[in-house]
Amino acid sequence: ESAMSINRAIERNTIELLRCVLILFIVLIHTNLVADLHCENSLYGRIYAYLSEILWLSNSLFFAISGYLFFANTDFTFESYRSKIGRRVNSLIIPYFLWNTLVWFLYVAGSYFVPSLSNNEIKPIGETGLADVFNIYFSTYGEGLSSTPIDGPLWFLRNLIVLVFCTPIYYFVLRSHKYSVVLLPLACLIPLPTAVYTSVIFFGLGCYLGIWKIDILRFCDKLYEGLLVFVTIIIVERVVEIPSSLEFLSAFAKHCAGFLVMMALASKYVRKRQYKADNPLNKSLFFIFALHGIIARLLTKVTAVWIVDSQNGWLGLAHLANATISVMICIVVYKITYSISPSICKRLGSRN
């Protein structure tokens, strides 16, 4: 094998490993008990606050990876753009609507047994008007650009779909000059909702790396430098009150450093362990991503009823148990669905 093909295989497996880790981070975010138990000041709450600095890297890194993969290993032309958009109709748009429809039905059914699941936001199917249906698919929770569809985690997919259609703009802006990357930190000075800032800027970072054909394994081979910057910014944010106008810029620098650290660790593991993306976790990633939200919500509400004392030492264990159960249920659902019909799995976003 040529050195280039070996390097591409390592890069591919590094990204697949990173996807697995980031999905687990997202599940850990959605199974935390801090909000349900209002235990921010407990030991568990304080530990989670620091842990979340790492967990919240997940969304920005996913957008960066998506932007990179759109442009990596190919020249950007009208034909390549049309081809990629066509593929993403099957891999993004169709799964987006199918999963939101499925979760809508699950919420309606589940609210008969656990009324608090609906939070009065989700109406029975027979009572929905056109505006309600629109909100189900695009804006069930929250308002405006910070809203999420009924399948909460799929806000990422909704934003990604929009960004993918905007890739020609990214290409012409970022291809204009090698130093056009400075536009990304400058964009952090524009007041935007966090979700929009994360989507637009980190997708742009990935696009820049892909457009300029930067070897991300070599570029990210800066574990200790990235770790130093990441930890330093966390300490500074805890000690000094960052002006609100600079919060996004601080977060951008912190997450860029986190990107270096995560990529470096993943690539080292891939090289040392000869990791290949053929395990059950990797195969069921999309199912975990799309289905864990409603499972996590049910588990956290049940746990909040079960654990009354917010100082209880079982909080951390319950959090990990809920995350593990959520992932295991999603893997089982994937395996059952795949055994019934691999084509249905593919329609639902699975790549295996």
Side-chain angles (χ1 to χ4, degrees):
E1 289 184 281
S2 68
M4 182 176 291
S5 63
I6 292 172
N7 193 60
R8 283 188 178 178
I10 293 172
E11 178 187 291
R12 182 172 61 252
N13 287 320
T14 297
I15 289 174
E16 291 301 324
L17 173 60
L18 199 52
R19 277 175 163 156
C20 287
V21 174
L22 297 178
I23 282 290
L24 295 179
F25 282 5
I26 289 173
V27 175
L28 284 168
I29 290 171
H30 293 150
T31 50
N32 88 81
L33 299 166
V34 175
D36 283 282
L37 290 174
H38 307 289
C39 57
E40 294 85 353
N41 296 321
S42 67
L43 177 61
Y44 163 74
R46 291 195 295 271
I47 291 173
Y48 178 74
Y50 283 99
L51 181 63
S52 64
E53 293 283 4
I54 299 172
L55 301 182
W56 280 106
L57 292 171
S58 51
N59 290 319
S60 52
L61 266 60
F62 262 129
F63 277 114
I65 289 170
S66 299
Y68 173 75
L69 291 177
F70 194 92
F71 288 101
N73 305 320
T74 184
D75 292 322
F76 187 73
T77 63
F78 176 75
E79 286 302 319
S80 68
Y81 174 71
R82 189 173 67 175
S83 173
K84 286 175 179 287
I85 291 295
R87 290 202 299 272
R88 279 154 179 80
V89 168
N90 292 316
S91 64
L92 298 179
I93 298 176
I94 292 176
Y96 177 83
F97 284 100
L98 288 177
W99 276 110
N100 275 304
T101 303
L102 177 61
V103 170
W104 182 14
F105 278 92
L106 289 175
Y107 267 118
V108 170
S111 62
Y112 285 107
F113 303 99
V114 185
S116 61
L117 268 179
S118 69
N119 279 358
N120 299 317
E121 300 276 358
I122 303 164
K123 297 180 181 178
I125 293 170
E127 299 177 14
T128 53
L130 193 59
D132 296 317
V133 172
F134 176 86
N135 287 337
I136 289 293
Y137 288 101
F138 300 105
S139 184
T140 305
Y141 305 108
E143 295 181 0
L145 296 173
S146 298
S147 62
T148 66
I150 190 167
D151 190 354
L154 292 192
W155 71 267
F156 169 86
L157 214 59
R158 179 199 61 198
N159 291 16
L160 182 59
I161 290 167
V162 174
L163 292 172
V164 161
F165 279 99
C166 294
T167 45
I169 299 173
Y170 278 104
Y171 180 79
F172 289 115
V173 171
L174 297 175
R175 183 64 187 172
S176 62
H177 197 281
K178 195 77 179 254
Y179 292 111
S180 60
V181 69
V182 301
L183 294 173
L184 298 176
L186 288 177
C188 295
L189 302 176
I190 303 172
L192 291 169
T194 302
V196 177
Y197 143 78
T198 303
S199 310
V200 174
I201 294 178
F202 280 95
F203 184 78
L205 176 63
C207 289
Y208 177 84
L209 295 172
I211 289 168
W212 288 95
K213 304 295 181 284
I214 294 170
D215 183 342
I216 59 169
L217 294 183
R218 183 177 297 175
F219 176 76
C220 294
D221 190 22
K222 300 174 179 66
L223 173 60
Y224 298 110
E225 295 93 324
L227 193 58
L228 177 63
V229 173
F230 184 73
V231 172
T232 300
I233 293 175
I234 291 175
I235 293 172
V236 170
E237 287 178 339
R238 291 289 190 276
V239 175
V240 180
E241 185 175 348
I242 305 293
S244 58
S245 59
L246 298 178
E247 284 179 353
F248 285 161
L249 186 59
S250 174
F252 175 75
K254 179 171 61 179
H255 283 222
C256 285
F259 184 39
L260 295 179
V261 173
M262 296 294 291
M263 281 294 297
L265 288 173
S267 64
K268 286 179 186 298
Y269 185 88
V270 167
R271 287 188 172 96
K272 189 174 181 179
R273 302 287 183 178
Q274 298 295 304
Y275 174 87
K276 292 185 179 178
D278 57 358
N279 56 75
L281 181 62
N282 204 282
K283 290 179 179 179
S284 54
L285 275 187
F286 204 101
F287 273 65
I288 297 171
F289 167 62
L291 187 58
H292 82 274
I294 184 172
I295 299 169
R297 190 167 180 178
L298 177 61
L299 289 174
T300 53
K301 287 189 176 297
V302 170
T303 305
V305 172
W306 175 55
I307 300 179
V308 179
D309 181 8
S310 63
Q311 301 297 324
N312 197 308
W314 290 97
L315 286 175
L317 186 60
H319 185 174
L320 290 175
N322 286 346
T324 304
I325 293 168
S326 298
V327 170
M328 294 306 295
I329 290 174
C330 294
I331 292 175
V332 169
V333 171
Y334 163 78
K335 284 183 171 292
I336 292 172
T337 308
Y338 188 84
S339 67
I340 295 171
S341 172
S343 62
I344 291 177
C345 269
K346 193 170 183 180
R347 283 295 179 192
L348 288 169
S350 172
R351 293 175 296 155
N352 302 91

